[in-house]
Amino acid sequence: MAGNAKVPAPVGARQEQDKKARCGWQGGARIWDDSEPQTKRLKSCVDGEPQKKLPKRKIVLLMAYSGKGYHGMQRNVGSSQFKTIEDDLVSALVQAGCIPESHGEDMRKMSFQRCARTDKGVSAAGQVVSLKVWLIDDILAKINSHLPSHIRILGLKRVTGGFNSKNRCDARTYFYMLPTFAFAHKDHDVQDETYRLSAETLRQVNRLLACYKGTHNFHNFTSQKGPREPSAQRYILDMFCEEPFERDGMEFAVIKVKGQSFMTHQIRKMVGLVVAIVKGYAPEDVLERSWGEAKVDVPKAPGLGLVLERVHFEKYNRRFGSDGLHEPLDWAREEAEVAAFKEQHIYPTIVSTERHERSMAQWLSTLPVHDFSATAQAAASPGAKVPSPQEGSEGDGDSD
């Protein structure tokens, strides 16, 4: 029995334990502390050991991901039915030791914000998120080790303490990749893989896409806005279609669009309406009518080909990019990795999915059911009803 008796700790050891307890020592575990009073108490500990804390810093992460199989970017806490990109990201951040597990449940605790809330199936080559993390060693490698190969963190930069990636972002560039048979006249086979885009048709496509440039009322290009809501006004800096190219025997083209911000489904509807015009289903004047107050039936192209290519921080870079303390958010050094990710994960997914699921071909077959002349007749009738602003609700923006 005597051998099992507890030996009292020496007086010096008990005093050391008491000091550690008063100073908040928790067995060497990392502690995330946002409270200023606690920080002051730690500093006031007389010759006691400080709390074992890694530096907590505001950073941005450059992300690339293939959106197939995901219900968008934004996490829906408490809903396991619909998997999102942020579900995998937050899990990796916790497993890598960058954030406490509790912050995975409440992302506000780490001041998390995304530049764009990409929709279901939409991919990204240059998404940027801002958050507070513990700056552990080899942080990018550790985060990526807990992510699937189709989600990668390609870059990290320190930013100002109050940085918010959504509010600081002053423009977004998306591209939409589609098979060129989408531009074939409606008399053609709906999925003629031998079709090749002519120079004349490409000029027509670019002439129509250029009409979007400038500020317009895009209430008909989303389900969230009424025609008189100021937030339905959106500014498009540029939109054009690049030269076509072949992948696996099928010809594709990429439409690029840069704008200050976009509403839910806006880009897909912008593409959809131009396709309907080029194919001969809709008259060209439907573009002008779509910016008026009357309701216009605008078809929504599939989400498969839509990719967030990059986000822009020109104003932030001008103010902080050369102050000697912060780096400009331009990601020039990561461009090779971004290009490699697109080649490995984004382009092949779009091509193989289109070939096997025929999403574009199936959508093209629905264009004849749209009535592009009905709104013109309704607008000309004396009792035409204009949707009220209440019929659209304020959205997050940048959801496409």
Side-chain angles (χ1 to χ4, degrees):
M1 294 293 293
N4 294 330
K6 291 184 179 179
V7 179
V11 175
R14 287 200 306 270
Q15 291 174 342
E16 185 66 21
Q17 291 171 0
D18 290 343
K19 278 197 297 182
K20 289 182 179 180
R22 290 195 304 271
C23 292
W25 184 270
Q26 297 182 9
R30 296 174 185 149
I31 299 172
W32 187 289
D33 185 10
D34 284 313
S35 59
E36 183 66 23
Q38 175 67 13
T39 303
K40 291 181 178 178
R41 286 199 300 272
L42 289 171
K43 289 181 179 179
S44 65
C45 270
V46 181
D47 71 358
E49 289 192 43
Q51 212 170 13
K52 186 177 181 181
K53 292 201 302 181
L54 290 173
K56 179 188 66 177
R57 297 291 183 262
K58 192 67 167 288
I59 63 164
V60 292
L61 297 175
L62 175 66
M63 290 185 67
Y65 52 83
S66 173
K68 184 181 179 182
Y70 289 87
H71 286 256
M73 170 73 179
Q74 187 172 7
R75 192 179 191 208
N76 301 307
V77 177
S79 173
S80 58
Q81 183 180 1
F82 302 111
K83 189 177 182 181
T84 69
I85 298 294
E86 286 177 11
D87 286 329
D88 283 354
L89 173 61
V90 170
S91 175
L93 290 171
V94 172
Q95 292 180 72
C98 299
I99 61 170
E101 189 172 353
S102 62
H103 288 200
E105 298 301 319
D106 185 357
M107 297 169 71
R108 293 173 300 180
K109 291 181 178 180
M110 56 176 163
S111 303
F112 186 93
Q113 187 57 264
R114 67 204 68 78
C115 274
R117 190 186 60 185
T118 52
D119 204 357
K120 177 183 176 181
V122 176
S123 300
Q127 172 76 279
V128 171
V129 300
S130 56
L131 68 160
K132 291 180 179 178
V133 298
W134 284 312
L135 285 178
I136 60 176
D137 294 333
D138 301 320
I139 183 170
L140 291 187
K142 288 178 180 176
I143 297 173
N144 282 323
S145 70
H146 297 287
L147 286 170
S149 61
H150 55 267
I151 303 177
R152 293 288 94 180
I153 306 300
L154 302 179
L156 178 153
K157 292 189 179 185
R158 289 277 306 277
V159 288
T160 55
F163 185 90
N164 179 303
S165 60
K166 180 185 174 185
N167 295 342
R168 283 287 187 178
C169 179
D170 38 37
R172 288 100 173 151
T173 294
Y174 284 82
F175 73 77
Y176 190 89
M177 180 173 164
L178 74 170
T180 57
F181 64 69
F183 295 120
H185 193 269
K186 61 183 179 181
D187 296 335
H188 274 71
D189 177 11
V190 103
Q191 189 177 7
D192 181 6
E193 295 185 8
T194 65
Y195 177 85
R196 294 298 180 262
L197 187 66
S198 68
E200 181 184 358
T201 303
L202 179 59
R203 283 193 295 270
Q204 180 191 12
V205 170
N206 276 319
R207 178 173 56 81
L208 293 169
L209 292 175
C211 295
Y212 286 122
K213 291 163 66 173
T215 301
H216 299 286
N217 187 335
F218 284 100
H219 75 94
N220 275 310
F221 293 79
T222 184
S223 60
Q224 299 180 344
K225 305 290 181 185
R228 295 172 187 166
E229 291 187 57
S231 57
Q233 299 280 337
R234 299 290 163 133
Y235 178 53
I236 305 301
L237 287 88
D238 201 7
M239 192 168 188
F240 60 92
C241 182
E242 297 181 333
E243 291 289 332
F245 56 92
E246 282 194 28
R247 289 288 174 115
D248 295 345
M250 192 185 304
E251 188 179 69
F252 287 83
V254 166
I255 294 173
K256 290 196 175 182
V257 55
K258 181 180 180 180
Q260 284 184 337
S261 61
F262 299 94
M263 296 177 289
T264 304
H265 301 152
Q266 179 184 339
I267 297 174
R268 291 165 61 186
K269 282 177 171 278
M270 292 167 72
V271 172
L273 190 55
V274 167
V275 168
I277 294 172
V278 174
K279 292 189 75 66
Y281 288 110
E284 288 195 16
D285 67 359
V286 73
L287 269 175
E288 291 289 338
R289 286 193 281 115
S290 70
W291 300 321
E293 289 196 348
K295 188 68 177 173
V296 173
D297 185 6
V298 178
K300 179 178 66 178
L304 172 65
L306 186 61
V307 178
L308 174 63
E309 183 166 51
R310 71 173 58 209
V311 290
H312 307 267
F313 299 95
E314 280 91 352
K315 292 179 183 177
Y316 175 87
N317 288 342
R318 284 196 296 269
R319 182 172 179 183
F320 298 104
S322 57
D323 65 357
L325 300 174
H326 304 93
E327 295 179 87
L329 302 181
D330 58 11
W331 309 108
R333 289 176 299 191
E334 289 78 14
E335 283 184 0
E337 288 184 84
V338 170
F341 185 90
K342 288 191 288 189
E343 288 290 340
Q344 186 175 359
H345 295 284
I346 295 179
Y347 296 149
T349 298
I350 294 174
V351 173
S352 64
T353 304
E354 178 57 44
R355 186 173 291 282
H356 293 102
E357 298 181 9
R358 303 176 65 248
S359 59
M360 178 57 69
Q362 290 181 26
W363 173 75
L364 291 173
S365 67
T366 69
L367 287 180
V369 305
H370 291 269
D371 189 351
F372 299 101
S373 61
T375 52
Q377 297 167 1
S381 64
K385 179 183 180 293
V386 175
S388 66
Q390 286 73 26
E391 291 180 19
S393 59
E394 185 65 32
D396 190 347
D398 306 300
S399 304
D400 221 326

